[in-house]
Amino acid sequence: MKIGMIGLGRMGGNMATRLRNGGHEVVGYDMSADSGRDVDSLEALVGALGAPRVVWVMVPAGTPTDSTVDRLSRLLEPGDLVVDGGNTRYREDQRHAKELEQHGIHFMDVGTSGGVWGVTEGYALMAGGSDEDYEHIKPIFEALKPQGDSGLVHAGPVGAGHYVKMIHNGIEYGMMQALGEGYAMLDASDLVDNPRDVCDSWREGTVVRSWLLDLLVRALDADKDLEHIAGRAQETGEAKWMIEDGLNMGVPLPVTAASLFARQNSQLDDPMTMKVVAALRNQFGGHAVDKA
């Protein structure tokens, strides 16, 4: 299958590589000339694809995505499909779908998780859109997802994919915060000789074993006591959106809210808890860390 990929950064570039390795043809575009792009404009990307076209957008949420969708609405043809795989808010997906529908262009939103490891391990994909569109590009999903039965879900109509991804990221906030607080307790205790070894021992046979725990041990091996990482962790919006929706729906989200507030407080402090959270974000997503 032939697909256009807009945005060849940390995620989009690796996804293009995985698709090519899976036998698909990818035409890549990025604003940066150093991105390894195949074409140097959206016009050239659209021209390189045969109808009905599939164009996957992997650019930052907000204005970059809005402007990209707007330009595609004027370049694509009826029957073409736009896929937003970034971290757009689900309400914006619904707006984009309506805008494109006026031109006969289809739209899907796909929450994408996998970070810098996805190119080899696969990406968890949470799709929103029609059954017809989902089946049309399922070969693309199959190439991107991890091996096995998990890692891909058609969550519902347009908006459902990013809604599910929003909740996924809120859960992620709470899990990282719990690991950070636990390690901070180990680190502060006079009874524990080697907190790193304790975490390593938990990786098998315990109920807290997880990929995040594996990544924590990996981060500690790379930087003992995380002494070169500042205890500041950024928040990218999804947890805030989740809490806002939870308040409107009457669903209590105390853990997600507490982890969000901790990240915001970390901008004013430098605790061990947030060193762990910052290190984990760097490990799974390649997010930048502030140096201590």
Side-chain angles (χ1 to χ4, degrees), residues 8-209:
L8 301 174
R10 194 167 54 225
M11 289 281 283
N14 282 342
M15 291 171 69
T17 297
R18 187 171 175 87
L19 285 172
R20 290 182 177 120
N21 290 342
H24 297 283
E25 185 177 354
V26 180
V27 180
Y29 166 70
D30 192 281
M31 293 179 65
S32 171
D34 299 326
S35 62
R37 65 191 185 185
D38 301 294
V39 293
D40 61 4
S41 69
L42 288 182
E43 290 80 1
L45 179 138
V46 171
L49 300 173
R53 302 169 184 85
V54 177
V55 179
W56 192 299
V57 180
M58 286 298 294
V59 302
T63 300
T65 295
D66 289 344
S67 62
T68 301
V69 171
D70 179 63
R71 289 185 63 192
L72 288 173
S73 72
R74 291 178 270 118
L75 292 171
L76 295 175
E77 299 175 346
D80 291 346
L81 171 64
V82 174
V83 181
D84 181 0
N87 281 326
T88 301
R89 194 169 189 178
Y90 70 94
R91 293 173 184 168
E92 296 303 301
D93 292 320
Q94 294 167 338
R95 177 172 63 83
H96 291 152
K98 289 180 180 179
E99 292 171 352
L100 292 171
E101 186 179 17
Q102 298 175 17
H103 303 275
I105 301 168
H106 299 218
F107 179 85
M108 291 193 73
D109 59 294
V110 181
T112 307
S113 182
V116 297
W117 298 86
V119 65
T120 55
E121 303 300 319
Y123 298 89
L125 305 172
M126 297 149 258
S130 70
D131 292 341
E132 176 187 11
D133 289 337
Y134 178 80
E135 291 299 326
H136 175 54
I137 63 167
K138 195 170 182 180
I140 295 296
F141 294 149
E142 293 288 350
L144 288 172
K145 69 179 287 294
Q147 292 184 349
D149 296 332
S150 298
L152 172 63
V153 63
H154 185 190
V158 168
H162 280 148
Y163 187 84
V164 170
K165 179 59 162 47
M166 174 184 74
I167 295 172
H168 165 280
N169 284 19
I171 294 170
E172 174 190 297
Y173 270 52
M175 292 174 68
M176 287 195 290
Q177 186 68 23
L179 285 171
E181 292 175 3
Y183 184 83
M185 284 288 290
L186 295 173
D187 183 64
S189 173
D190 293 333
L191 287 173
V192 179
D193 293 332
N194 194 327
R196 180 265 176 210
D197 286 354
V198 172
C199 292
D200 189 40
S201 76
W202 288 345
R203 294 169 64 192
E204 298 291 341
T206 74
V207 296
V208 297
R209 63 187 184 272

Side-chain angles (χ1 to χ4, degrees), residues 266-278:
S266 76
Q267 305 308 307
L268 307 174
D269 202 354
D270 190 29
M272 174 57 75
T273 302
M274 301 315 295
K275 285 178 179 281
V276 170
V277 173

